[in-house]
Amino acid sequence: MPPSNYQGPPEAWIIAIGNELLIGRIVDTNSAWLARRLTFLGFRVRRIVKVPDEISDIVEELRRAIERASVVITTGGLGPTYDDKTLEAVAKATGRELELNDEALRMVAEFYSKKNLPLTPEREKMAKLPRGSKPLPNPVGAAPGVLLELGKDKIIVSLPGVPSEMKAIFDSHVAPRLEALAPPRALWECSLIIEGIPESTLAPIIEEIARRNPTAYIKSHPKGHEVMGPVIDLRVLASAPDESEAKIIAESIIERFYNEVIKLGGKISQRTCGKPS
Amino acid sequence: MPPSNYQGPPEAWIIAIGNELLIGRIVDTNSAWLARRLTFLGFRVRRIVKVPDEISDIVEELRRAIERASVVITTGGLGPTYDDKTLEAVAKATGRELELNDEALRMVAEFYSKKNLPLTPEREKMAKLPRGSKPLPNPVGAAPGVLLELGKDKIIVSLPGVPSEMKAIFDSHVAPRLEALAPPRALWECSLIIEGIPESTLAPIIEEIARRNPTAYIKSHPKGHEVMGPVIDLRVLASAPDESEAKIIAESIIERFYNEVIKLGGKISQRTCGKPS
């Protein structure tokens, strides 16, 4: 237990829900992805817990997490089937009713009407949220994400278990909200324009460097033709409590990329660093 | 909480220890591997928890796990550095002293003497176990695994975080002990001798089928030349509460492999099923 004058970063807990995780049918890559994002945003991830699809198990872990963390993120259990119990558990853990949310219902209805599928009671279930929640649009799948504020610096976010849906909702709707909760962070961005190396060749290098640098966000945008005349815009955004630290992180990563590109016979046609706009 | 007459399988909890898991630098594949093995052995994995390298965090989760599970497996934190705190936490959570274990010291000393390296105090630390523990030989690395029995049906096993070390110790020294704790299970084994398909072609199919069937253990042994004249001995061992169920699992999996092999243009030169000897 930290002393009461402890001034570290706010705590985040991740709860991954699903029997398939506990029988080992699935390796949980979502939690590591979220842990990286949360760390980058300035939170300290203190627990990652996997629980089966049982209300009492989910509620137990939610209550522990809510008591101690500023941010609680759940993944999984938002779908239409009987096994999807996350929202019922969030409602129970926070002493709220589940109620049909009009905005969520519109999102779910729109998703199915585009596919010419009817809105069955099972599908409608995805729009029943703990009272006071805000649905988060899911650009990839049917189930909206759900954001519930508890007081002014505590938040529960429920995301789908499908990685593409989880990531899309987090980046569009959760990260911006969490930035406001996180301690002030300084950012520093560097970029390289890389010529002559296909993105697929660079991908494993990006992945390895990204894995080693959780407080940096690395993204590549292909600009030329993948094989004939590949051009890649590579951006590194580092986050740290102060600017000089962010600068060191971003610039040392970009230096590492620079060296790898030269080693691979590529060309750097532009290199810039600065405060991101 | 299950009713007191609940007769389900004994519970297992997995605690994965390491800051690198909580900043998302590493995807925790160990837990899924262990969850599959434990499920196969007849346990119900009820929690997988990741905690940072902090004594108080590890002790908190160990105490919860010990109170509720028959089997607690930890991974990580067994090495020689200051950050490796698992055994100290196990000692604290169970109210025991750490003491130098002669058998463990022999294992550690042998590992380093083979490499012509001295036995420093940091290395000796890996042989300081909670009183009453049994060291488990690590055929791959320096740190022995540690098995601690608490009464007659409760057990804590601490394994290294390096996957190859964790797996080797589990399969050689932990699984046989856990079998005695697990409910009686019936086994059924089927095998195929497959000709004309390289093991590398079969690998993704094996992986997919294995992932979908956590109560079966699938193993392939290459017998011919990988490309010129590939011959694979494929074995499926299914585990279930009774024999007829184990039979159905093993035989339906072998049928699936049979169909895949024929589709790929391979040949089955032998197919057998029966009680494993």
Side-chain angles (χ1 to χ4, degrees):
Chain A
M1 200 60 73
S4 60
N5 62 348
Y6 179 69
Q7 288 290 335
E11 232 173 276
W13 284 41
I14 297 169
I15 302 175
I17 299 160
N19 292 339
E20 69 280 11
L21 300 169
L22 293 144
I23 59 173
R25 201 170 69 195
I26 282 184
V27 171
D28 170 27
T29 55
N30 283 345
S31 294
W33 187 92
L34 283 168
R36 277 182 57 78
R37 280 288 200 281
L38 290 163
T39 303
F40 176 79
L41 286 166
F43 294 91
R44 179 184 178 201
V45 180
R46 190 78 175 261
R47 285 290 186 290
I48 300 173
V49 183
K50 295 182 218 312
V51 288
D53 299 306
E54 302 280 351
I55 290 285
S56 60
D57 292 75
I58 309 171
V59 168
E60 176 191 343
E61 297 300 336
L62 276 169
R63 287 198 173 132
R64 271 191 346 132
I66 291 166
E67 197 183 311
R68 293 165 56 179
S70 303
V71 175
V72 180
I73 310 242
T74 73
T75 59
L78 292 187
T81 73
Y82 175 76
D83 270 358
D84 293 301
K85 299 174 179 167
T86 300
L87 296 180
E88 194 183 334
V90 171
K92 200 166 171 191
T94 58
R96 277 146 211 266
E97 299 289 312
L98 277 182
E99 61 182 20
L100 196 63
N101 178 292
D102 291 340
E103 206 184 335
L105 187 62
R106 255 198 313 278
M107 293 175 191
V108 175
E110 195 188 321
F111 179 86
Y112 287 106
S113 84
K114 271 188 190 160
K115 296 192 178 305
N116 280 318
L117 290 168
L119 192 63
T120 61
E122 291 73 31
R123 291 168 182 160
E124 207 177 279
K125 169 173 167 274
M126 294 185 274
K128 286 192 179 136
L129 316 187
R131 184 171 294 165
S133 298
K134 190 172 141 35
L136 307 173
N138 181 340
V140 187
V146 178
L147 189 152
L148 176 59
E149 312 247 0
L150 299 172
K152 78 172 186 30
D153 356 274
K154 215 176 261 279
I155 203 172
I156 307 179
V157 178
S158 299
L159 299 173
V162 177
S164 58
E165 302 182 20
M166 184 277 292
K167 292 175 185 176
I169 300 175
F170 186 91
D171 280 341
S172 307
H173 303 288
V174 183
R177 175 66 191 89
L178 294 186
E179 271 163 22
L181 268 185
R185 303 287 285 177
L187 299 174
W188 196 257
E189 189 173 49
C190 292
S191 70
L192 289 180
I193 304 291
I194 299 168
E195 294 181 20
I197 297 181
E199 202 185 18
S200 51
T201 304
L202 213 58
I205 300 169
I206 294 177
E207 208 182 319
E208 193 241 313
I209 295 178
R211 215 181 297 129
R212 291 181 182 278
N213 295 279
T215 57
Y217 185 53
I218 303 172
K219 230 174 167 170
S220 67
H221 302 275
K223 299 205 135 178
H225 183 284
E226 154 78 3
V227 177
M228 301 297 283
V231 178
I232 297 164
D233 178 4
L234 182 91
R235 286 169 181 275
V236 175
L237 182 65
S239 151
D242 65 70
E243 195 172 284
S244 62
E245 203 183 314
K247 213 164 156 172
I248 290 171
I249 296 169
E251 296 189 356
S252 67
I253 292 174
I254 221 74
E255 181 67 19
R256 170 88 199 275
F257 275 114
Y258 182 92
N259 293 333
E260 294 285 347
V261 166
I262 298 305
K263 218 160 62 187
L264 287 165
K267 210 187 111 192
I268 304 290
S269 61
Q270 196 186 301
R271 175 173 178 165
T272 57
C273 276
K275 238 192 173 98
S277 44
Chain B
M1 202 57 75
S4 59
N5 62 348
Y6 178 71
Q7 288 291 334
E11 233 173 275
W13 285 40
I14 297 169
I15 302 176
I17 298 160
N19 292 339
E20 69 281 11
L21 299 168
L22 294 145
I23 59 174
R25 200 170 70 195
I26 282 184
V27 171
D28 170 28
T29 55
N30 282 346
S31 294
W33 187 92
L34 283 168
R36 277 181 58 77
R37 279 289 199 281
L38 290 163
T39 302
F40 177 80
L41 285 166
F43 294 90
R44 181 186 177 199
V45 180
R46 190 79 176 260
R47 285 291 186 288
I48 299 173
V49 182
K50 295 181 219 310
V51 288
D53 298 306
E54 303 279 350
I55 290 284
S56 60
D57 292 75
I58 308 169
V59 168
E60 176 191 344
E61 297 300 334
L62 276 170
R63 287 197 173 135
R64 271 190 347 131
I66 291 166
E67 196 183 315
R68 292 163 59 178
S70 303
V71 175
V72 180
I73 309 240
T74 73
T75 58
L78 291 188
T81 73
Y82 175 75
D83 270 358
D84 293 302
K85 299 175 179 168
T86 300
L87 296 180
E88 194 184 334
V90 171
K92 199 165 172 193
T94 59
R96 277 147 210 265
E97 300 288 313
L98 279 182
E99 61 182 20
L100 196 64
N101 179 294
D102 291 340
E103 207 184 334
L105 187 63
R106 254 198 313 278
M107 293 175 191
V108 175
E110 195 189 322
F111 179 86
Y112 287 106
S113 84
K114 271 188 190 159
K115 295 192 180 307
N116 281 318
L117 290 169
L119 192 63
T120 62
E122 291 73 31
R123 290 168 183 160
E124 207 176 280
K125 168 172 169 275
M126 294 185 274
K128 286 191 180 139
L129 316 188
R131 184 171 294 166
S133 299
K134 190 173 139 37
L136 307 172
N138 181 341
V140 187
V146 177
L147 189 152
L148 176 59
E149 312 247 0
L150 300 172
K152 79 172 185 29
D153 357 273
K154 214 175 262 278
I155 203 171
I156 308 179
V157 178
S158 299
L159 299 172
V162 178
S164 59
E165 302 181 19
M166 185 277 291
K167 291 175 184 175
I169 300 174
F170 186 91
D171 280 341
S172 309
H173 304 288
V174 183
R177 175 66 191 89
L178 294 185
E179 270 162 24
L181 268 185
R185 305 285 287 175
L187 298 174
W188 195 258
E189 189 174 49
C190 291
S191 70
L192 289 180
I193 304 290
I194 299 168
E195 293 180 21
I197 297 181
E199 202 185 18
S200 51
T201 303
L202 212 59
I205 300 169
I206 294 177
E207 206 183 321
E208 194 241 313
I209 295 178
R211 214 181 297 129
R212 292 183 179 278
N213 295 281
T215 56
Y217 185 54
I218 303 172
K219 229 172 167 171
S220 67
H221 303 275
K223 299 204 136 178
H225 183 284
E226 154 77 4
V227 176
M228 303 296 283
V231 178
I232 298 165
D233 178 3
L234 182 90
R235 287 171 180 274
V236 175
L237 181 66
S239 151
D242 64 70
E243 194 171 286
S244 63
E245 203 184 314
K247 213 165 158 172
I248 290 170
I249 296 170
E251 296 190 355
S252 67
I253 292 174
I254 220 73
E255 181 67 18
R256 169 89 199 276
F257 275 114
Y258 182 92
N259 293 332
E260 293 286 347
V261 166
I262 299 304
K263 219 162 61 188
L264 287 165
K267 211 187 112 192
I268 303 290
S269 61
Q270 195 186 302
R271 174 173 177 165
T272 58
C273 277
K275 236 191 175 100
S277 44

